[in-house]
Amino acid sequence: MAIQFPRDDLYDGREYTPPGSSITYVYSLNQGWLLLPSEVPVSKDYVDTQDFLKYDKSGGKISGNVSIGEFGGQEHLFISSKGEISFANTSDLTLSFAPSVNKKAKLKVSDTVMMSVGITATQFDIFKTINLEDPSQVFLTYTSTNSNTDVNILKAPETSYSIANVISLSNKGGSSLTIKGVDETVCTISGNGKVLIKSNEQEAFSIKRRDAATARDVLTVSTYNYKITASDTYNDGLINGGATITTPTGNETFVPYNDDKLLATLGVVKKFQYTPGQKVFADVESETEIGGLWADSTGFYIRYK
């Protein structure tokens, strides 16, 4: 009976045992299928080929440098005798973790977990400090074609009221936290406490209430006309001695504006200032302070009590 040898997937060192036979043949690119008796000397290349094909999952030890790749082709993984692991590929380099249904995939160093991937692969936990040694390199980047995308740089647990998001600086003036726009620095917070805010020549620096109150403006600083403007609520409160405001909970409450340290607006100065030619008399006695003057259609009076 003739032996039908395989015609596909032929490579040096491929073994083939015909069905029903105990004899094994070995393929050679130069000589075809060969019967290799045990007493025939073999080459080192053939032995290396057999070693390559016989690596299995039974455990054991491999000494020296090891490379893993396609047979007779590209090598992809290198393990040196000093413990260094390196990857090489003609396509994307991938280190894959495959968490099980109820176990995380973990990367350990000296049995200490350095990072882990959650079972759904949506959470990536790092347990050690990340140091960026080269300050000229970008630490975090985000690229999006949607200019309105919100990017969470730091998201704290919403259920925790005691967490503090901290950026630690040296207490020296040369240490700073800087926020830059396209053209130049927008905000600089120095370690010695100095804060510098820059706005362009058209827009303004504004402070607004966080809640949805009707009047949310508190203070505006215009870099266009150099004006510092208080809110209408504040100005009216100074003039009237107080103002009714809406609290963050939606309730209305009256707040007196009689503190000596409140800054005056031009509106309140105009309201109560006196210049030559203006009357200095109150219109009715009830509005006159003790020792002040008031007048009616019949004459002038001094209020003494």
Side-chain angles (χ1 to χ4, degrees), residues 113-147:
V113 178
M114 307 301 291
M115 59 185 180
S116 68
V117 180
I119 58 177
T120 59
T122 58
Q123 181 175 344
F124 185 73
D125 298 322
I126 299 175
F127 297 93
K128 297 297 180 180
T129 302
I130 298 177
N131 294 321
L132 188 66
E133 299 292 344
D134 187 353
S136 65
Q137 299 298 314
V138 178
F139 183 55
L140 294 174
T141 61
Y142 181 85
T143 302
S144 173
T145 56
N146 184 355
S147 60

Side-chain angles (χ1 to χ4, degrees), residues 45 64 73 118 142 151 164 191 194 202 252-253 272 285:
D45 290 341
Y142 181 85
V151 180
K194 180 181 178 181
Q202 298 298 325
E252 290 189 347
T253 183
F272 298 108
E285 181 179 4

Side-chain angles (χ1 to χ4, degrees), residues 66-88:
V66 177
S67 63
I68 301 174
E70 302 170 15
F71 182 78
Q74 177 70 37
E75 296 177 328
H76 304 304
L77 173 64
F78 303 89
I79 305 174
S80 74
S81 58
K82 296 181 179 180
E84 179 181 351
I85 299 176
S86 58
F87 297 86

